[in-house]
Short mmCIF file of all heavy atoms in Angstrom, two decimals:
data_model
loop_
_atom_site.label_atom_id
_atom_site.label_comp_id
_atom_site.label_asym_id
_atom_site.label_seq_id
_atom_site.Cartn_x
_atom_site.Cartn_y
_atom_site.Cartn_z
N ASP A 502 117.41 88.27 -19.05
CA ASP A 502 118.35 88.75 -20.07
C ASP A 502 117.80 89.86 -20.89
O ASP A 502 116.73 89.73 -21.51
CB ASP A 502 118.63 87.50 -21.01
CG ASP A 502 119.73 87.80 -22.00
OD1 ASP A 502 119.95 89.02 -22.34
OD2 ASP A 502 120.29 86.84 -22.51
N LYS A 505 116.29 89.56 -24.32
CA LYS A 505 115.13 88.72 -24.64
C LYS A 505 113.80 89.47 -24.34
O LYS A 505 113.66 90.24 -23.39
CB LYS A 505 115.16 87.51 -23.74
CG LYS A 505 116.13 86.48 -24.20
CD LYS A 505 115.93 85.13 -23.54
CE LYS A 505 116.92 84.09 -23.94
NZ LYS A 505 116.96 82.92 -23.12
N LEU A 579 122.97 89.17 -15.18
CA LEU A 579 124.01 88.36 -14.57
C LEU A 579 124.19 88.73 -13.11
O LEU A 579 124.48 87.89 -12.28
CB LEU A 579 125.29 88.55 -15.39
CG LEU A 579 125.29 88.09 -16.82
CD1 LEU A 579 126.62 88.33 -17.49
CD2 LEU A 579 124.91 86.59 -16.87
P C B 19 118.59 84.79 -30.81
OP1 C B 19 119.58 84.98 -29.75
OP2 C B 19 118.95 83.98 -31.97
"O5'" C B 19 117.21 84.18 -30.20
"C5'" C B 19 116.75 84.55 -28.94
"C4'" C B 19 115.35 84.13 -28.82
"O4'" C B 19 114.58 84.53 -29.98
"C3'" C B 19 115.04 82.70 -28.70
"O3'" C B 19 115.28 82.15 -27.41
"C2'" C B 19 113.55 82.60 -29.05
"O2'" C B 19 112.70 82.97 -28.07
"C1'" C B 19 113.53 83.68 -30.24
N1 C B 19 113.70 83.03 -31.55
C2 C B 19 112.61 82.39 -32.15
O2 C B 19 111.54 82.32 -31.43
N3 C B 19 112.65 81.80 -33.36
C4 C B 19 113.83 81.91 -34.06
N4 C B 19 113.85 81.41 -35.24
C5 C B 19 114.98 82.58 -33.53
C6 C B 19 114.85 83.11 -32.30
P G B 20 115.77 80.67 -27.19
OP1 G B 20 116.09 80.46 -25.79
OP2 G B 20 116.65 80.20 -28.30
"O5'" G B 20 114.31 79.88 -27.41
"C5'" G B 20 113.24 80.15 -26.61
"C4'" G B 20 112.06 79.30 -27.02
"O4'" G B 20 111.80 79.52 -28.47
"C3'" G B 20 112.27 77.81 -26.85
"O3'" G B 20 111.05 77.22 -26.36
"C2'" G B 20 112.50 77.32 -28.22
"O2'" G B 20 111.96 76.01 -28.42
"C1'" G B 20 111.75 78.24 -29.05
N9 G B 20 112.35 78.47 -30.42
C8 G B 20 113.45 79.12 -30.77
N7 G B 20 113.75 79.06 -32.04
C5 G B 20 112.69 78.33 -32.62
C6 G B 20 112.40 77.93 -33.95
O6 G B 20 113.11 78.22 -34.97
N1 G B 20 111.31 77.15 -34.07
C2 G B 20 110.44 76.82 -33.04
N2 G B 20 109.39 76.03 -33.29
N3 G B 20 110.66 77.14 -31.74
C4 G B 20 111.80 77.91 -31.60
P U B 21 110.68 77.22 -24.75
OP1 U B 21 109.38 76.56 -24.63
OP2 U B 21 110.93 78.55 -24.26
"O5'" U B 21 111.83 76.26 -24.21
"C5'" U B 21 111.87 74.85 -24.61
"C4'" U B 21 112.60 74.13 -23.60
"O4'" U B 21 113.96 74.62 -23.45
"C3'" U B 21 112.00 74.13 -22.17
"O3'" U B 21 110.89 73.30 -21.97
"C2'" U B 21 113.24 73.79 -21.36
"O2'" U B 21 113.60 72.38 -21.48
"C1'" U B 21 114.36 74.55 -22.06
N1 U B 21 114.53 75.89 -21.58
C2 U B 21 115.29 76.07 -20.39
O2 U B 21 115.75 75.07 -19.78
N3 U B 21 115.41 77.34 -19.93
C4 U B 21 114.93 78.47 -20.51
O4 U B 21 115.15 79.53 -20.02
C5 U B 21 114.22 78.28 -21.70
C6 U B 21 114.02 77.04 -22.21
P A B 27 116.21 84.43 -19.21
OP1 A B 27 116.66 85.75 -19.58
OP2 A B 27 116.06 83.36 -20.27
"O5'" A B 27 117.16 83.88 -17.99
"C5'" A B 27 117.70 82.63 -18.09
"C4'" A B 27 118.48 82.35 -16.87
"O4'" A B 27 117.68 81.45 -16.05
"C3'" A B 27 119.83 81.71 -17.16
"O3'" A B 27 120.83 82.56 -17.30
"C2'" A B 27 120.02 80.80 -15.89
"O2'" A B 27 120.42 81.60 -14.79
"C1'" A B 27 118.50 80.40 -15.64
N9 A B 27 118.21 79.15 -16.34
C8 A B 27 117.28 79.05 -17.36
N7 A B 27 117.12 77.83 -17.82
C5 A B 27 117.98 77.03 -17.03
C6 A B 27 118.37 75.73 -17.00
N6 A B 27 117.77 74.83 -17.80
N1 A B 27 119.32 75.35 -16.08
C2 A B 27 119.89 76.23 -15.31
N3 A B 27 119.61 77.55 -15.28
C4 A B 27 118.70 77.91 -16.17
P G B 28 121.77 82.46 -18.56
OP1 G B 28 122.96 83.40 -18.34
OP2 G B 28 120.99 82.55 -19.79
"O5'" G B 28 122.40 80.94 -18.41
"C5'" G B 28 123.26 80.62 -17.41
"C4'" G B 28 123.41 79.11 -17.37
"O4'" G B 28 122.12 78.49 -17.25
"C3'" G B 28 124.01 78.51 -18.64
"O3'" G B 28 125.44 78.51 -18.56
"C2'" G B 28 123.42 77.08 -18.64
"O2'" G B 28 124.20 76.22 -17.86
"C1'" G B 28 122.08 77.29 -17.98
N9 G B 28 120.99 77.36 -18.94
C8 G B 28 120.39 78.45 -19.48
N7 G B 28 119.40 78.17 -20.30
C5 G B 28 119.49 76.80 -20.43
C6 G B 28 118.65 75.95 -21.22
O6 G B 28 117.79 76.23 -22.01
N1 G B 28 119.11 74.57 -21.03
C2 G B 28 120.02 74.14 -20.16
N2 G B 28 120.20 72.86 -20.13
N3 G B 28 120.75 75.01 -19.43
C4 G B 28 120.42 76.29 -19.58
P C B 29 126.29 79.38 -19.61
OP1 C B 29 127.66 79.07 -19.34
OP2 C B 29 125.78 80.74 -19.54
"O5'" C B 29 125.80 78.72 -20.99
"C5'" C B 29 126.33 77.48 -21.36
"C4'" C B 29 126.25 77.37 -22.83
"O4'" C B 29 124.87 77.38 -23.26
"C3'" C B 29 126.89 78.58 -23.47
"O3'" C B 29 127.87 78.22 -24.41
"C2'" C B 29 125.79 79.40 -24.11
"O2'" C B 29 126.07 79.84 -25.42
"C1'" C B 29 124.63 78.39 -24.26
N1 C B 29 123.36 79.02 -23.92
C2 C B 29 122.35 78.98 -24.84
O2 C B 29 122.47 78.43 -25.92
N3 C B 29 121.12 79.55 -24.52
C4 C B 29 120.99 80.14 -23.39
N4 C B 29 119.85 80.71 -23.12
C5 C B 29 121.99 80.26 -22.44
C6 C B 29 123.20 79.61 -22.73
P U B 30 129.40 78.70 -24.18
OP1 U B 30 130.00 77.72 -23.27
OP2 U B 30 129.44 80.13 -23.88
"O5'" U B 30 129.87 78.44 -25.64
"C5'" U B 30 130.37 79.50 -26.45
"C4'" U B 30 131.83 79.61 -26.36
"O4'" U B 30 132.18 80.51 -25.17
"C3'" U B 30 132.62 78.37 -25.99
"O3'" U B 30 132.75 77.51 -27.06
"C2'" U B 30 133.95 78.94 -25.47
"O2'" U B 30 134.73 79.32 -26.55
"C1'" U B 30 133.49 80.21 -24.82
N1 U B 30 133.53 80.07 -23.32
C2 U B 30 134.62 80.63 -22.64
O2 U B 30 135.50 81.21 -23.26
N3 U B 30 134.63 80.47 -21.31
C4 U B 30 133.70 79.75 -20.57
O4 U B 30 133.85 79.71 -19.32
C5 U B 30 132.53 79.24 -21.29
C6 U B 30 132.54 79.43 -22.63
P G B 31 132.56 76.00 -26.97
OP1 G B 31 133.68 75.44 -26.15
OP2 G B 31 132.31 75.47 -28.30
"O5'" G B 31 131.19 75.98 -26.20
"C5'" G B 31 131.04 75.35 -25.05
"C4'" G B 31 130.23 74.02 -25.18
"O4'" G B 31 130.44 73.39 -26.41
"C3'" G B 31 130.67 73.00 -24.12
"O3'" G B 31 129.54 72.57 -23.50
"C2'" G B 31 131.46 71.99 -24.92
"O2'" G B 31 131.34 70.81 -24.24
"C1'" G B 31 130.68 71.98 -26.23
N9 G B 31 131.37 71.50 -27.38
C8 G B 31 132.42 72.05 -28.02
N7 G B 31 132.81 71.31 -29.00
C5 G B 31 131.98 70.26 -29.01
C6 G B 31 131.97 69.05 -29.86
O6 G B 31 132.63 68.80 -30.77
N1 G B 31 130.98 68.18 -29.42
C2 G B 31 130.12 68.39 -28.32
N2 G B 31 129.24 67.42 -28.13
N3 G B 31 130.11 69.43 -27.58
C4 G B 31 131.08 70.28 -27.99
P G B 32 129.45 72.64 -21.94
OP1 G B 32 128.10 73.09 -21.62
OP2 G B 32 130.66 73.15 -21.31
"O5'" G B 32 129.59 71.05 -21.69
"C5'" G B 32 129.07 70.52 -20.53
"C4'" G B 32 129.68 69.15 -20.39
"O4'" G B 32 130.78 68.93 -21.26
"C3'" G B 32 130.23 69.03 -18.92
"O3'" G B 32 129.74 67.84 -18.38
"C2'" G B 32 131.74 68.92 -19.18
"O2'" G B 32 132.32 68.18 -18.26
"C1'" G B 32 131.84 68.36 -20.55
N9 G B 32 133.05 68.56 -21.33
C8 G B 32 133.81 69.76 -21.51
N7 G B 32 134.85 69.60 -22.32
C5 G B 32 134.77 68.19 -22.64
C6 G B 32 135.61 67.39 -23.46
O6 G B 32 136.55 67.77 -24.12
N1 G B 32 135.21 66.07 -23.57
C2 G B 32 134.11 65.60 -22.90
N2 G B 32 133.89 64.29 -23.07
N3 G B 32 133.28 66.31 -22.13
C4 G B 32 133.69 67.58 -22.02
P A B 73 122.28 67.49 -25.21
OP1 A B 73 123.02 67.35 -24.04
OP2 A B 73 121.49 66.36 -25.80
"O5'" A B 73 121.21 68.72 -25.17
"C5'" A B 73 120.32 69.01 -26.13
"C4'" A B 73 119.92 70.49 -26.09
"O4'" A B 73 119.77 70.88 -24.74
"C3'" A B 73 121.05 71.39 -26.66
"O3'" A B 73 120.85 71.54 -28.02
"C2'" A B 73 120.78 72.70 -25.90
"O2'" A B 73 119.72 73.40 -26.47
"C1'" A B 73 120.25 72.15 -24.53
N9 A B 73 121.27 72.05 -23.48
C8 A B 73 121.81 70.99 -22.92
N7 A B 73 122.71 71.13 -22.10
C5 A B 73 122.79 72.60 -22.06
C6 A B 73 123.65 73.41 -21.31
N6 A B 73 124.59 73.04 -20.37
N1 A B 73 123.50 74.75 -21.55
C2 A B 73 122.56 75.15 -22.46
N3 A B 73 121.78 74.42 -23.18
C4 A B 73 121.94 73.14 -22.96
P U B 74 122.19 71.78 -28.95
OP1 U B 74 121.69 72.16 -30.24
OP2 U B 74 122.99 70.56 -28.84
"O5'" U B 74 122.94 73.00 -28.33
"C5'" U B 74 122.43 74.32 -28.32
"C4'" U B 74 123.36 75.26 -27.67
"O4'" U B 74 123.61 74.76 -26.32
"C3'" U B 74 124.72 75.40 -28.28
"O3'" U B 74 125.09 76.77 -28.30
"C2'" U B 74 125.69 74.55 -27.42
"O2'" U B 74 126.90 75.07 -27.41
"C1'" U B 74 124.98 74.66 -26.07
N1 U B 74 125.25 73.45 -25.19
C2 U B 74 126.03 73.64 -24.13
O2 U B 74 126.44 74.75 -23.79
N3 U B 74 126.22 72.53 -23.42
C4 U B 74 125.79 71.25 -23.68
O4 U B 74 126.09 70.37 -22.91
C5 U B 74 125.03 71.11 -24.88
C6 U B 74 124.76 72.14 -25.62
P C B 75 124.85 77.64 -29.61
OP1 C B 75 125.25 79.04 -29.29
OP2 C B 75 123.56 77.35 -30.16
"O5'" C B 75 125.95 76.99 -30.67
"C5'" C B 75 127.24 77.49 -30.70
"C4'" C B 75 127.95 76.83 -31.87
"O4'" C B 75 128.27 75.45 -31.44
"C3'" C B 75 127.18 76.65 -33.13
"O3'" C B 75 127.22 77.84 -33.92
"C2'" C B 75 127.90 75.50 -33.80
"O2'" C B 75 129.10 75.94 -34.40
"C1'" C B 75 128.21 74.64 -32.58
N1 C B 75 127.22 73.58 -32.34
C2 C B 75 127.08 72.45 -33.28
O2 C B 75 127.85 72.46 -34.21
N3 C B 75 126.15 71.56 -33.02
C4 C B 75 125.38 71.61 -31.95
N4 C B 75 124.51 70.62 -31.73
C5 C B 75 125.44 72.72 -31.02
C6 C B 75 126.37 73.69 -31.26
#
Side-chain angles (χ1 to χ4, degrees):
Chain A
D502 185 338
K505 285 192 181 169
L579 296 181

